[in-house]
Amino acid sequence: MKAKLISTLFAGLLLVTPFVAVNAGDDDKHHGDDGALKKAVAEATAAKKKAASVGGEWRDIGKFLKKAKKAAKKGKMKKAMKLAKKAKWQAEAGYKQVMAQKTVELPSYLK
Amino acid sequence: MSISKSTSLMRKTLLAAASVALLGTSQLALADENGKELAFTRKKGNCLACHMISGGSNAGTIGPALIDMKARFPKRDVLKAQIWDATVNNPESPMPPFGKHKILNDKELDAVVDFIWNL
Amino acid sequence: MKRLFTAAVVIALPLVMAGSAVASPADDSSAIRSYFSKKFPAVELNEFGNGVYAIDKVSRESWEAIEEFPPYETFVDAGEEMWNTAFANGKGYKDCFADGPGVAHKYPHWDKEKGMVMTLPLAINNCRKANGEKPLKYAKGSINDILSYMTYNSRGHKTNVVIPSDDPRAMAAYEEGKQFYFARRGQLNFSCASCHMQNSGNYIRSDILSPALGHTTGFPVYRSKWGTVGTLHRRFKGCNKQVRAKPFKPQGQEYRNLEYFLTYMSNGLELNGPSARK
């Protein structure tokens, strides 16, 4: 009986643990990550500029960066980092999109 | 520990176990529902903008109706590739590259592929 | 900006000089016209100026009913008042536009002296600035009043965009506009042509996509969705945003060159603005 009880309790604990961990992750103030975030935001901002210089910026990049800075102010470093990385990825994708279409020909359906 | 206490605990444990099991099945159903939701909503797949899909309304006419997908795509991977980036197969396709441009993330894309494959 | 532009000229020049290998504007135009006339054989050339209502009978009926009491009329009236009201220095629009308000068909044109595409909204603001008035905003607001009035007075004139052969920068501007039209952009990866050429006549959700041919003749446009009259460049912005591309500045070089290309495609079609749309 006792053994069973203990094992169920243990199983219950196991079930609960991941949720606790996830919740803690978002609210925790990891001031140590400040530098890493600053770097990520700077990289994203540079990538955004580069995309804009060829007319390839996507719509929401600026919004992601604003949100990242806001989240960082509230100490939500994980969220901020995610947003900064997303902004950088989109900016690079927008730049590549333009580079892949340097010369446009009329599409085949117009020929 | 008294008997009554331990049976009540037992009952609670059983209940917990049962609800965990229930959660399992409803999550499976959820995955399906989720794929449909992702395919239909404008801010995600918005496949209805161009494709007729059973269960959806106000469908566009830009792409073919999505029916009998397993017959069209015996291989799930081939279907997934179409949704990942349609321009590989047809450089002039107007269909957005849902995977390549991360319009849907990996999980969302898989849920959509599952939903479409079962049409 | 300027550097970008000269870079574009440097890139585009050899293309232009290569001659027959590259399609001339006239070639582009005839390819596009033959595409649309095959796609919509029942629609006469000038009818394309009515956008989606040229190709869809059902929505055309309610549109014709709306045109009985045009929602843009009050904007035309407000524009007339602007036209007749003197600036603080005693001068007015009349002094800038000597031929009267009905000159919309003379835009956009290549301004050799400035080395850029001159549009009507830009000319209106140049007039204001030259007379010490504040320039108007380019997408929303009272620029649409004066535009409505001037366009209304230009009805029936034919679109007639010229790409002068004595200035290669004009050709470069046209090529830039064309490149803009056919290049995919935004996270959703559409070009303008994906919707308004390849899929014109198709439904996207419950909207029918209008053909690119005739797209410029009816502006400014009263849109029920806007609840007001808006400029062509406001429309460009909206169409960029919906594919998740960052829109460009109204009257910036990108949209002016786009307007140059797009209006050229409608050469010969009558101006019929302002008009009403869903």
Side-chain angles (χ1 to χ4, degrees), chain A residues 40-57:
Chain A
V41 168
E43 281 175 7
T45 308
K48 177 176 178 284
K49 257 195 197 138
K50 192 173 163 192
S53 75
V54 294
E57 190 179 337

Side-chain angles (χ1 to χ4, degrees), chain B residues 44-64:
Chain B
K44 291 291 183 176
N46 199 12
C47 316
L48 286 171
C50 301
H51 295 286
M52 215 191 70
I53 300 171
S54 150
S57 52
N58 289 336
T61 56
I62 294 174

Side-chain angles (χ1 to χ4, degrees), chain B residues 37-117:
Chain B
E37 173 79 19
L38 286 164
F40 284 10
T41 41
R42 279 166 207 262
K43 289 204 167 159
K44 291 291 183 176
N46 199 12
C47 316
L48 286 171
C50 301
H51 295 286
M52 215 191 70
I53 300 171
S54 150
S57 52
N58 289 336
T61 56
I62 294 174
L66 301 182
I67 38 170
D68 209 4
M69 281 290 118
K70 278 200 180 115
R72 288 272 307 137
F73 296 93
K75 291 203 177 112
R76 186 183 179 279
D77 278 358
V78 180
L79 174 65
K80 186 170 174 177
Q82 166 74 26
I83 302 173
W84 175 269
D85 180 7
T87 66
V88 172
N89 249 337
N90 170 14
E92 288 177 356
S93 177
M95 178 164 154
F98 291 95
K100 185 185 171 204
H101 277 187
K102 298 194 180 182
I103 301 162
L104 299 170
N105 67 30
D106 291 349
K107 252 197 205 155
E108 291 169 337
L109 194 92
D110 266 323
V112 168
V113 173
D114 283 338
F115 166 68
I116 300 289
W117 207 38

Side-chain angles (χ1 to χ4, degrees), chain A residues 93-109:
Chain A
Y95 181 80
K96 274 190 219 149
Q97 185 182 38
V98 173
M99 289 303 120
Q101 308 176 84
K102 267 293 171 194
T103 53
V104 224
E105 285 176 49
L106 288 189
S108 66
Y109 52 83

Side-chain angles (χ1 to χ4, degrees), chain C residues 22-136:
Chain C
V22 170
S24 72
D27 292 340
D28 293 340
S29 173
S30 76
I32 285 165
R33 275 173 199 207
S34 98
Y35 174 75
F36 283 120
S37 67
K38 270 183 216 141
K39 199 163 197 177
F40 306 107
V43 179
E44 278 177 39
L45 183 62
N46 203 51
E47 258 301 306
F48 280 101
N50 290 323
V52 74
Y53 310 115
I55 60 170
D56 179 44
K57 276 212 180 96
V58 179
S59 56
R60 186 180 182 105
E61 273 174 28
S62 47
W63 172 68
E64 278 171 349
I66 286 170
E67 281 284 346
E68 300 272 320
F69 306 96
Y72 47 77
E73 216 160 42
T74 53
F75 298 86
V76 174
D77 293 346
E80 182 170 16
E81 203 176 319
M82 280 171 86
W83 180 269
N84 289 321
T85 306
F87 298 139
N89 68 0
K91 297 204 168 169
Y93 290 105
K94 288 184 187 89
D95 299 294
C96 303
F97 300 95
D99 294 335
V103 292
H105 57 291
K106 296 186 175 167
Y107 299 85
H109 66 245
W110 181 252
D111 185 327
K112 193 169 178 183
E113 202 181 304
K114 295 193 168 73
M116 65 189 275
V117 172
M118 182 54 61
T119 63
L120 182 53
L122 217 55
I124 287 170
N125 268 347
N126 282 346
C127 171
R128 294 180 63 89
K129 282 188 268 182
N131 287 290
E133 298 285 317
K134 261 201 196 153
L136 304 171

Side-chain angles (χ1 to χ4, degrees), chain A residues 48 52-60 62 64 86 89-90 94 97-98 101-107 109-111, chain C residues 4 11 15 27-28 31-32 35 178-179 182-187 189 193-194 197-198 241-242 244-248:
Chain A
K48 177 176 178 284
S53 75
V54 294
E57 190 179 337
W58 291 0
R59 187 188 62 191
D60 300 331
F64 296 147
K86 192 163 157 183
W89 186 88
Q90 286 210 354
Q97 185 182 38
V98 173
Q101 308 176 84
K102 267 293 171 194
T103 53
V104 224
E105 285 176 49
L106 288 189
Y109 52 83
L110 288 180
K111 284 177 185 158
Chain C
L4 239 181
I11 294 167
L15 282 178
D27 292 340
D28 293 340
I32 285 165
Y35 174 75
K178 178 180 163 189
Q179 162 86 20
F182 289 102
R184 293 174 181 272
R185 63 187 75 243
Q187 189 183 27
N189 207 38
S194 312
M197 290 188 180
Q198 187 182 28
K241 278 195 268 188
Q242 68 177 339
R244 300 187 194 163
K246 189 179 174 199
F248 295 86

